[in-house]
Amino acid sequence: MVKVDGSGAQSSLIQVRDLDKTYRRGGEDIDVLQGLNLDVSPGEFAAFMGPSGSGKTTLLNLLGGLDVPTRGSITVAGDEITHMSSGKLTEWRARHVGFVFQMYNLIPVLTAYQNVELPLLLTKLSKAERRAHVETVLSVVGLADRMNHFPRQLSGGQEQRVAIARAIVSDPTFLLCDEPTGDLDRKSADEVMALLEELVAAHHKTVLMVTHDPLAAARAHSILHLEKGVLVEGKKSPHGVPAGGAA
Amino acid sequence: MKFGRLIWANLFRKKVRLLLTLGSFAVALFLFAFLAVVRDAFNRGADVAGADRLIVINRTSIINLIPLSYRDKITRIPGVKYITHSNWFGGTYQEEKNFFPQFVIDPENQRQVFPELIVPDDQWNAFLKDRQGAIAGAQTAERFHWKIGDRIPIKTSSWGGGSWEFNLVGIYHGKRPQDDETQFWLQWDYFQEKVPQSVKGQVGWYVLKVENPDDAARIAKDIDQEFANSSNETKTETESAWAANWVKQFANIQFLIVSIGTVVFFTLLLVTGNTMAISVRERTAELAVFKAIGYSDRFVLFFVIAESLVIALIGGSLGLILAVLAVPMLAKSLGGLLPSMVLSPSMLFFGFATAILVGILSGLLPGLGAMRLRVVNAMRRV
Amino acid sequence: MLPKLFFGLLITIAAILVVMLALAIIVGLLAPFLGSVPISYNFRSIRARWTSTIVAILGIAGTVGVFVAMLSLARGFRATLVSSGSPGNALVMRAGSTAEMMGGITLDSIKVLQDAPGIARDASGRPILTQDVVGVIPVPLISTGTDANVQVRGVSPNVLQVRTFAKIAQGRMFQPGLSELVVGKNASKTYTGLTLGNTVDFAGGHWKVVGIFDAGGSAFDSEIWCDSTILNQVLHRPAYIFQSATIHLTSPGTFQTFKDAVTKDPRMNVDVWREIDYYAKQSTTMTRLITVLGGFVAAIMAIGAIFGALNTMYSAVAERGREIATMRAVGFSAWNVILSFLFEALLISFIGGVLGCLVVLPLNGFTTNTMNFQTFSNVAFAFKITLDLLLMGVLFALVMGVIGGLLPAVRAAIQPVSVALREL
């Protein structure tokens, strides 16, 4: 369940209260987020939409501990991350967050296997244990047969699936996806979205996604619009396309 | 080490650039080693010189001779352990460019004063038995492909002139790699036999070994005092002082070498630093992904420095290996001009250390930039 | 037969490469006229990537500087010795002597020389000849305070008539029979105590410096001259033996006549050289040493600079991939792209070359000294930077620029535009 009015239960996986984020640009203060609230239960699949510059990516960055808010609090699985030191935040991120970006996700000089293994190198797992995890997630994303391929040998869709595999390999608390289908053709985009859906449905992952793509957003359980610095619940039409259009 | 593969893989990202940077390191370290060898070759005397040996020459001019009769007086000075004498022969073997130093030596005392120049006993005995016997240093013997038993003719216009013939009965080796193995020794008795009266009974210089190096200064003064106001005044110095002064006559060459070395160091630093900077700039997005995944800022710093270090070590080792191979060839092309050119382990060590230093420094600035990189800025969409 | 073929092939390939390089340089420099990419583009892109550009410039400047410095050192040394002596003088030494100091020529032989054909005579009919006593004495270097072996030459009083290239610059000539010295101008600058009016002690005597002579920058400028008779006495040498005799010929053309007459004389056992040839020979060892060492260093640095330049230019191409792709998409042909890059590389290397030359230029005329192995004496000489050396330095820089700029430029140009654009 997703709530944006600050009325969520204490048991929410992700709880955001009164989030403000202000940037200083060219001598002016720009208030991107103003008193934003959010509650996300485990197993949720939420899409954030909104016009360019509305602050969707900013929100994602804040949720992922890549940025600190001007005011407000973010609590994930009981940890309040807004006042963590950057060192602790880095550790926290390694354990709790899986990122999927629009571009440059994979290290070009590493194979799919090695890319997926990256987060595990931060842990104390042995080589054999790491191998077990990597092979498992690569099967989940359906690319076990391509584990020794380099990114340049994979299609865009396959690259993103490897990125997703990497994002889940350390079993993070939730996934943050920033325009995961933005760079892909229709077919690949469908592949990726199907995978995300499966992760949520079959593997009970929690996924928060920023997107411009209405078809991608349609796959999510709930759609939230970022307007005037806060989240507003979006409408979903029976055909799965959000009413009122998006972005 | 887990990240080794990552660092290694990153190096091959742009093969041409890798080759060029390795090449820069190789060239710079090669040059370093070469300069060190040349500097050492010029300094040679000063290094091998013994603190417990003294050299006595004619005070007026180094080319003037001193009477043999001085020997007894010098021996009587307390603290003098062994004494030998020598003359510069200065002849020509076949042609002028085949130059190597030839000395008339005093066989009886040579080995006590110069124990580091080693001759097998059987060869030495043959030497003592044959007045026309000669001993050559290994380097000279090799240069002209001499074997024991060869007859060596040496022309001279001094000492009454003519072509003097010698029997090569021995070859000496230096104990340490830096010892001079180019000398050619002929015998005092034969020399005395052949030279005109005006030259007989006179030596070029004395070399003596003292009991206690601490006494050296006092003994030197005593010797010069003994012969002050005579018709052949002496000048006595420790071998190391003498060699150091010799080197100072080439003082400017040393300065030149050091200057070049400095220019090379900074140029290398500049080039490799710039390369690392460009390489890091190209990868800001990737480094951001690392940070997003959970790698710390400090990790990224060390990662960049490690990359730079690996290139430095590989390139530097390559350069040093090339130097080890090339120095003998260079030595040969210079003929007998400089005493043996040696690339010592300490030079290699110093070269290595320099490579490491440059590797760390050239990766430092880009690394710091990468460390401070904020993911949010780097991932900003194109 | 085979080695000859092999060498012929090698030389042909080398010649072709040289021609190609020359062409590339000329074409590159003319790029603003030949190509359609405006120079302003190059200037702006240099400014935009100024750190990389400065790196390349400094790398090339450093190499050119070292190159010019080393060559001018060797040149200076050679010039000093090669310019020593006159073609109109003949040097006579004992047969087989490799250096003056080893020689021994008796007064009797000198008398024979005085009557030989070809020898010039002064107004009163006296033969113009100097019989020299040559030795080395230790004198402290001004720079280090330690002794250098300085060549002291005992000469005949009419030496200036023989060595006409030498003139008294300050003070006067020494008086025969007295313990007086005239010192060469370089000797005065390099060794301690050799100043006008000063008294110097050596060989157990007190000598007054009464004059400083200028021998045109030759080896003689590093010498000390005095009366040969006095020197023989002081060095305890026989009064009738000299190390060499130098004869002033009626004209350089009479050298052969003189030489033949003297060497064929059964009373004489001597070698006769033209004075300049003898001194040129005395420089071969040290010149070879400096040239080999210096050349080696310069060659290595050049390779390093080329690597540096290549690195910079490749990075330039890599970083400007988008620009290049756009340019080509807009319509500039591959040829124009190459020209533009080549020009830029040459511009950078030209600036580096000029900078390198400017930095070492102050060294010109800077005197330094070294021991000449062949004469066993110290010789002062000066760095000699000539225009042709500077031009060589700049040319060297251009060659490095071409090598560094051509390959990346070609690579940038031939990459299909679609590939380049896709990488954006």
Side-chain angles (χ1 to χ4, degrees):
Chain A
M1 196 187 39
V2 173
K3 280 196 175 287
V4 297
D5 53 8
S7 65
Q10 289 299 94
S11 60
S12 308
L13 183 65
I14 301 172
Q15 204 174 65
V16 181
R17 291 285 177 271
D18 276 321
L19 200 65
D20 280 359
K21 180 67 185 174
T22 307
Y23 287 119
R24 195 160 182 80
R25 201 144 301 150
E28 266 184 46
D29 280 340
I30 302 174
D31 301 316
V32 182
L33 304 176
Q34 298 168 54
L36 189 141
N37 293 306
L38 178 66
D39 283 87
V40 178
S41 310
E44 267 298 328
F45 187 178
F48 300 128
M49 300 185 76
S52 286
S54 53
K56 315 188 289 297
T57 303
T58 306
L59 176 60
L60 216 67
N61 288 336
L62 287 165
L63 290 173
L66 289 176
D67 201 356
V68 282
T70 315
R71 218 169 313 144
S73 74
I74 302 175
T75 312
V76 176
D79 295 323
E80 222 270 283
I81 68 170
T82 27
H83 294 111
M84 276 190 188
S85 69
S86 89
K88 287 218 91 56
L89 209 49
T90 305
E91 279 176 38
W92 173 85
R93 200 160 58 236
R95 235 192 355 263
H96 291 279
V97 189
F99 280 98
V100 181
F101 301 105
Q102 177 180 358
M103 295 190 292
Y104 312 120
N105 262 305
L106 301 183
I107 313 289
V109 297
L110 299 178
T111 61
Y113 179 97
Q114 292 164 344
N115 266 291
V116 173
E117 199 190 16
L118 270 180
L120 296 181
L121 295 178
L122 286 168
T123 66
K124 293 192 175 38
L125 295 174
S126 73
K127 190 157 179 185
E129 288 169 321
R130 294 202 299 266
R131 175 161 279 273
H133 278 89
V134 172
E135 285 178 354
T136 305
V137 298
L138 276 172
S139 322
V140 167
V141 306
L143 286 172
D145 57 334
R146 296 229 196 245
M147 67 171 116
N148 291 319
H149 286 214
F150 287 97
R152 64 173 180 275
Q153 296 168 300
L154 302 172
S155 74
Q158 289 169 330
E159 277 193 63
Q160 276 301 47
R161 280 154 63 194
V162 172
I164 293 172
R166 182 191 65 205
I168 61 174
V169 76
S170 50
D171 205 18
T173 307
F174 62 109
L175 292 187
L176 289 175
C177 307
D178 193 358
E179 301 276 6
T181 60
D183 220 29
L184 303 175
D185 61 78
R186 195 71 262 159
K187 178 164 170 293
S188 304
D190 283 341
E191 279 174 19
V192 169
M193 290 315 300
L195 178 56
L196 286 176
E197 274 187 305
E198 190 195 319
L199 286 176
V200 172
H203 301 271
H204 310 294
K205 299 289 179 197
T206 309
V207 177
L208 301 180
M209 177 177 73
V210 161
T211 186
H212 272 149
D213 181 2
L215 294 177
R219 307 265 209 153
H221 295 173
S222 30
I223 299 176
L224 304 170
H225 290 280
L226 197 50
E227 283 169 31
K228 298 200 183 69
V230 290
L231 286 171
V232 172
E233 284 192 47
K235 303 172 187 49
K236 252 184 134 163
S237 78
H239 301 293
V241 177
Chain B
M1 125 104 172
K2 311 189 272 195
F3 302 107
R5 198 186 310 145
L6 182 57
I7 295 176
W8 187 254
N10 257 315
L11 292 181
F12 289 94
R13 180 186 292 269
K14 287 222 160 73
K15 297 202 192 62
V16 172
R17 178 192 295 158
L18 175 68
L19 279 171
L20 292 176
T21 316
L22 283 178
S24 300
F25 266 104
V27 164
L29 266 302
F30 181 78
L31 191 58
F32 244 61
F34 171 71
L35 291 175
V37 166
V38 170
R39 183 172 172 278
D40 174 71
F42 275 101
N43 263 339
R44 180 53 48 69
D47 290 340
V48 300
D52 62 345
R53 282 204 289 249
L54 295 179
I55 298 189
V56 184
I57 60 171
N58 188 309
R59 178 167 286 271
T60 302
S61 172
I62 191 171
I63 58 176
N64 281 16
L65 304 175
I66 339 177
L68 182 62
S69 58
Y70 280 19
R71 181 171 59 180
D72 290 335
K73 298 208 186 109
I74 297 177
T75 321
R76 269 183 259 138
I77 292 181
V80 174
K81 195 163 170 198
Y82 300 118
I83 179 170
T84 188
H85 54 82
S86 199
N87 289 52
W88 176 262
F89 189 70
T92 309
Y93 172 67
Q94 293 174 347
E95 3 166 46
E96 257 185 84
K97 72 175 179 65
N98 288 343
F99 169 82
F100 53 88
Q102 303 131 27
F103 298 115
V104 181
I105 65 164
D106 155 38
E108 224 179 281
N109 297 295
Q110 169 80 355
R111 288 167 120 194
Q112 280 99 312
V113 179
F114 295 104
E116 73 274 15
L117 303 176
I118 301 172
V119 184
D121 284 335
D122 58 323
Q123 292 178 9
W124 188 256
N125 290 331
F127 183 60
L128 293 175
K129 287 208 194 85
D130 179 1
R131 288 177 140 209
Q132 273 185 276
I135 294 185
Q139 193 174 325
T140 299
E142 209 180 287
R143 184 171 161 208
F144 301 113
H145 310 295
W146 288 342
K147 291 180 315 298
I148 309 261
D150 281 354
R151 197 136 169 98
I152 316 285
I154 300 198
K155 289 196 307 268
T156 176
S157 62
S158 322
W159 325 124
S163 176
W164 296 37
E165 306 246 313
F166 300 97
N167 303 316
L168 190 67
V169 294
I171 295 180
Y172 80 79
H173 292 267
K175 212 196 251 170
R176 300 163 294 183
Q178 339 58 310
D179 286 324
D180 181 8
E181 289 185 347
T182 60
Q183 301 173 23
F184 182 86
W185 301 339
L186 49 133
Q187 301 189 50
W188 174 255
D189 289 341
Y190 186 56
F191 183 68
Q192 290 302 291
E193 211 180 273
K194 303 244 323 177
V195 295
Q197 189 60 37
S198 55
V199 180
K200 281 206 219 284
Q202 300 187 73
V203 307
W205 62 89
Y206 291 100
V207 184
L208 36 117
K209 215 173 169 84
V210 299
E211 303 268 5
N212 186 352
D214 296 332
D215 262 347
R218 191 263 307 160
I219 296 175
K221 238 192 337 190
D222 285 350
I223 295 176
D224 292 342
Q225 189 66 29
E226 173 77 42
F227 304 108
N229 303 318
S230 70
S231 52
N232 287 295
E233 296 191 327
T234 59
K235 180 155 166 237
T236 310
E237 300 180 282
T238 59
E239 197 184 26
S240 27
W242 189 87
N245 287 344
W246 176 265
V247 163
K248 288 222 181 77
Q249 298 194 58
F250 302 99
N252 291 106
I253 295 190
Q254 292 223 57
F255 174 71
L256 203 65
I257 290 175
V258 170
S259 318
I260 297 174
T262 314
V263 168
V264 167
F265 178 79
F266 281 107
T267 307
L268 178 69
L269 194 58
L270 214 53
V271 167
T272 50
N274 191 48
T275 305
M276 280 313 294
I278 293 176
S279 164
V280 167
R281 266 207 297 275
E282 283 174 357
R283 286 183 284 156
T284 39
E286 272 174 51
L287 293 169
V289 167
F290 269 100
K291 292 200 188 188
I293 292 178
Y295 285 82
S296 68
D297 291 341
R298 256 215 310 211
F299 173 86
V300 169
L301 169 67
F302 289 131
F303 182 65
V304 170
I305 293 183
E307 231 179 84
S308 185
L309 205 51
V310 168
I311 299 179
L313 284 173
I314 298 177
S317 305
L318 194 63
L320 290 175
I321 290 174
L322 282 173
V324 168
L325 295 172
V327 164
M329 284 195 286
L330 181 74
K332 224 189 251 176
S333 76
L334 284 175
L337 282 178
L338 288 177
S340 54
M341 298 178 74
V342 166
L343 188 53
S344 69
S346 67
M347 287 181 215
L348 289 174
F349 179 75
F350 181 65
F352 230 65
T354 307
I356 291 178
L357 182 65
V358 174
I360 293 178
L361 284 178
S362 60
L364 193 60
L365 257 147
L368 286 173
M371 181 173 89
R372 291 198 223 106
L373 179 71
R374 295 205 57 216
V375 182
V376 289
N377 294 333
M379 298 304 290
R380 196 165 295 162
R381 238 159 280 138
V382 171
Chain C
M1 178 37 199
L2 204 60
K4 233 193 216 162
L5 195 67
F6 180 68
F7 270 118
L9 201 65
L10 217 61
I11 293 179
T12 314
I13 294 178
I16 293 176
L17 279 174
V18 167
V19 168
M20 278 170 66
L21 267 178
L23 266 175
I25 293 179
I26 296 172
V27 163
L29 288 173
L30 289 176
F33 306 105
L34 293 174
S36 40
V37 179
I39 325 179
S40 54
Y41 171 70
N42 295 115
F43 285 127
R44 270 187 291 112
S45 67
I46 286 180
R47 257 222 318 275
R49 289 174 31 259
W50 61 273
T51 40
S52 300
T53 308
I54 293 201
V55 165
I57 290 180
L58 287 178
I60 291 181
T63 305
V64 169
V66 167
F67 176 75
V68 172
M70 304 245 60
L71 280 187
S72 66
L73 190 69
R75 280 259 180 115
F77 186 79
R78 181 146 184 84
T80 298
L81 282 131
V82 162
S83 75
S84 301
S86 153
N89 287 349
L91 182 73
V92 181
M93 295 187 296
R94 174 168 60 193
S97 304
T98 52
E100 268 182 294
M101 225 179 298
M102 316 287 287
I105 182 167
T106 62
L107 203 49
D108 292 335
S109 301
I110 306 274
K111 295 218 172 75
V112 173
L113 292 176
Q114 286 171 335
D115 292 327
I119 187 170
R121 288 172 189 279
D122 65 12
S124 22
R126 275 202 303 266
I128 303 181
L129 166 158
T130 172
Q131 56 242 34
D132 292 352
V133 174
V134 177
V136 287
I137 52 156
V139 183
L141 287 163
I142 294 179
S143 56
T144 63
T146 54
D147 287 343
N149 287 322
V150 179
Q151 184 138 304
V152 60
R153 183 184 292 272
V155 296
S156 305
N158 65 344
V159 64
L160 292 177
Q161 287 183 297
V162 182
R163 300 196 169 104
T164 49
F165 46 82
K167 308 222 175 345
I168 299 284
Q170 293 174 50
R172 57 168 175 84
M173 186 56 176
F174 62 78
Q175 288 224 44
L178 295 184
S179 293
E180 293 184 340
L181 304 176
V182 292
V183 308
K185 65 174 197 261
N186 278 339
S188 177
K189 277 196 283 190
T190 313
Y191 314 117
T192 324
L194 300 179
T195 49
L196 196 56
N198 214 18
T199 304
V200 182
D201 290 333
F202 68 82
H206 304 295
W207 305 74
K208 182 137 183 261
V209 180
V210 299
I212 299 193
F213 68 85
D214 180 339
S218 64
F220 295 107
D221 275 325
S222 304
E223 292 184 353
I224 300 175
W225 291 356
C226 59
D227 184 319
S228 54
T229 324
I230 307 273
L231 193 58
N232 256 342
Q233 280 172 16
V234 159
L235 291 179
H236 303 153
R237 296 192 193 169
Y240 54 88
I241 297 191
F242 303 87
Q243 270 64 61
S244 69
T246 304
I247 281 84
H248 191 64
L249 301 165
T250 48
S251 83
T254 55
F255 173 76
Q256 201 55 46
T257 323
F258 174 77
K259 177 173 177 175
D260 289 339
V262 166
T263 45
K264 290 200 177 79
D265 191 318
R267 297 169 289 177
M268 307 284 280
N269 183 26
V270 294
D271 285 336
V272 180
W273 298 77
R274 257 191 226 276
E275 195 181 28
I276 44 162
D277 290 340
Y278 168 75
Y279 282 98
K281 189 173 78 79
Q282 299 309 93
S283 78
T284 49
T285 308
M286 284 309 286
T287 308
R288 183 162 119 235
L289 181 65
I290 298 177
T291 310
V292 168
L293 290 180
F296 199 65
V297 168
I300 301 174
M301 287 199 74
I303 296 176
I306 290 176
F307 276 132
L310 272 170
N311 225 350
T312 304
M313 291 312 293
Y314 262 113
S315 303
V317 166
E319 283 197 327
R320 288 152 67 181
R322 191 181 317 149
E323 287 171 48
I324 299 170
T326 312
M327 273 166 68
R328 291 185 54 212
V330 157
F332 287 104
S333 66
W335 168 241
N336 277 306
V337 170
I338 293 178
L339 271 182
S340 180
F341 268 92
L342 200 55
F343 176 71
E344 202 170 303
L346 286 173
L347 183 64
I348 293 176
S349 52
F350 179 75
I351 297 175
V354 169
L355 185 64
C357 287
L358 285 177
V359 164
V360 292
L361 206 49
L363 277 179
N364 191 25
F366 182 72
T367 45
T368 180
N369 63 81
T370 186
M371 151 95 65
N372 183 355
F373 293 134
Q374 280 175 283
T375 60
F376 211 76
S377 55
N378 206 285
V379 170
F381 61 101
F383 280 84
K384 188 179 160 110
I385 302 182
T386 52
L387 188 62
D388 66 316
L389 211 56
L390 292 172
L391 288 176
M392 272 169 71
V394 173
L395 186 64
F396 187 40
L398 288 176
V399 169
M400 285 192 279
V402 160
I403 297 179
L406 196 56
L407 291 167
V410 168
R411 188 151 165 267
I414 63 177
Q415 202 182 37
V417 181
S418 52
V419 173
L421 284 172
R422 199 190 318 144
E423 283 177 5
L424 295 179

